[in-house]
Amino acid sequence: MNILRNNILSNDDSGYDETFLVLYTLPMACKYSENCKFYWLSDERFENSVNLDWPPQFQGKEKYIFIVGSVSINGILCLKHGFTRTYQVVLWNPTTGETKVIPPSPIENRRPDRDSWRFLHGFGYDHVNDDYKVIQMIDYFPDDQDDEDNMVWEDRSYDPLWEIYSLKSNSWKKFDVDMRNCYYYSELRGIGLYTDGVFHWWARSASKNIEECLMSFDFSKEVMFTTLVPLNIDGGFDVGFVERHLVSLNGSIALISNYKKESTFCISVLAKLGVRESWMNLFTVGPLPFVDFPNGVGKKNNILFYIKDEDLVCVDLKTQMIKDIGVRGFSFFTHVGKYKKSFLPIGGIIN
C-alpha cells in the first residue's frame, strides 16, 4: 500500500495534457440562474486559467452543462445539457472545435409526466468494434417522490429504461439489464468516471438496508456489474454527513469520501473491479477548515480540488497545504477533470 501511495504522490498523470474546469460563477442571491464556464488550467500551479467558449449548440443557453465522465476520450468530451426531458447530449473536441449532436432516442414515450424523468449517462470507447458509445438510463419519479428524503421506493410506477447509442451506426438500441428499483443516482453521482473501456457511477441501493457500490458498464462486452464497498470503509467517521466523488488517480479508480462533520476527507483506491475486498484506504486528509465539497483531481495527481467559502482551492496531498486558485463558484456544480489533446475527427479510427 505504501508503494501505491508513494507512486501516486510522486507522479503526474502523463497521459493527459491539461486540467479542465466547469465552473458556475454564482452570486449568493441567485445560485441557480447564472451561466457556467469552461476553463483550461494548464500550468502546474493553476495560475494560468483560460476561458473557452462552449460549442455552438450551447451558445445562449450555458446553464446546467455537465461533462459526462472525469476524463476526455481521444480528445473528446461528452457534454450533457439540462436535467430532465429538455436534455441534450453533444460530443465535443475542444482542440479542433468539432461537435457531434447525439440524436434523441426513438423509443416511444411511455411516461405521462416527462418533467419527472431522470437521466443517467455514460460515454466511452468500444475497443473491440472501434466505436464510441453513449449509454443512457431513463428513470421516473412521480412528483410526490421528488424529495430524496421522502421517496417511497416500493410505490414507483415504472422501471428504469436503459439504451445504448452507437456512433458508428448512428442508432440507439434497448439494453436489457435487471436493475429495476435497485439503485438511486443523484445528478452529481451521475457525472461518473471513465477508465479503459468501462464507465463507472457511484450508486446506492434503494432498499431499507442501504449499501453503496460502484456500478460499471463495459462498452465492448455491453455488460453491467457492481463492486460493493467494504463495511468498514468509513472507519469511525459519521456516515450521516458524507459525500462521495469518483476520480482518477494515476490511472486508478479512486473514491473521495468527504466527512463534513469532521472536516476531513479520505481517498480509497480500487485494486480490482468486482472484488469488494480490494478497496484500499490510501489517504486521510484533515481536519481542514471549511471543507465543503471534493470536486475532482487535476493532471497533477497530488492535487485535490474543493470549494472553500465559494472559492476554488487545491490541496497538496503531500503537505496538505491549501492554495487558492483565484476563481469563485458554487460547489455542487463545479467539475474538475483531465484532458488529452487530439486532432483526430470524432469517430476517427484509433490506432
Side-chain angles (χ1 to χ4, degrees), residues 100-210:
K100 165 65 179 177
V101 177
I102 304 300
S105 165
I107 292 181
E108 185 178 356
N109 176 11
R110 298 184 300 143
R111 294 162 171 131
D113 183 4
R114 299 182 67 188
D115 287 327
S116 294
W117 289 18
R118 297 293 182 268
F119 293 87
L120 181 77
H121 288 91
F123 169 63
Y125 178 64
D126 176 350
H127 299 269
V128 174
N129 298 294
D130 185 25
D131 192 10
Y132 294 96
K133 295 178 179 179
V134 174
I135 183 169
Q136 169 178 281
M137 188 229 16
I138 306 174
D139 209 353
Y140 175 82
F141 296 95
D143 289 339
D144 59 353
Q145 295 185 26
D146 282 343
D147 185 351
E148 297 175 17
D149 297 328
N150 298 308
M151 286 182 179
V152 183
W153 295 97
E154 293 79 4
D155 293 338
R156 285 172 60 182
S157 304
Y158 302 92
D159 293 334
L161 173 68
W162 291 85
E163 304 167 277
I164 301 172
Y165 169 80
S166 162
L167 182 63
K168 180 176 285 188
S169 66
N170 192 33
S171 64
W172 289 89
K173 67 178 180 181
K174 186 178 179 181
F175 175 53
D176 292 318
V177 58
D178 186 8
M179 301 292 286
R180 61 181 183 272
N181 296 344
C182 292
Y183 294 97
Y184 164 70
Y185 320 87
S186 70
E187 187 63 44
L188 177 67
R189 291 187 181 94
I191 288 175
L193 172 67
Y194 174 84
T195 59
D196 299 324
V198 181
F199 199 92
H200 314 277
W201 304 270
W202 193 252
R204 66 181 183 184
S205 67
S207 63
K208 293 181 180 179
N209 298 321
I210 294 176

Side-chain angles (χ1 to χ4, degrees), residues 7-22 39-46 69-72 193 245-252 254 256 265 267 294-306 312-317 325 334-340:
N7 184 49
I8 289 176
L9 287 176
S10 60
N11 292 281
D12 66 1
D13 201 330
S14 57
Y16 296 93
D17 300 314
E18 297 187 84
T19 298
F20 69 77
L21 166 68
V22 179
Y39 292 92
W40 293 130
L41 302 177
S42 55
D43 63 326
E44 183 172 348
R45 295 182 177 274
F46 308 109
S70 297
V71 298
S72 66
L193 172 67
H245 193 73
L246 286 173
V247 297
S248 174
L249 274 178
N250 209 20
S252 298
I256 303 175
F265 53 84
I267 301 177
N295 298 103
V297 174
K299 177 180 176 291
K300 296 291 182 179
N301 281 317
N302 62 334
I303 300 295
L304 180 77
F305 295 82
Y306 67 93
L312 190 68
V313 299
C314 59
V315 179
D316 189 312
L317 292 178
I325 296 179
T334 301
H335 182 197
V336 178
K338 304 173 187 178
Y339 183 79
K340 176 68 175 179

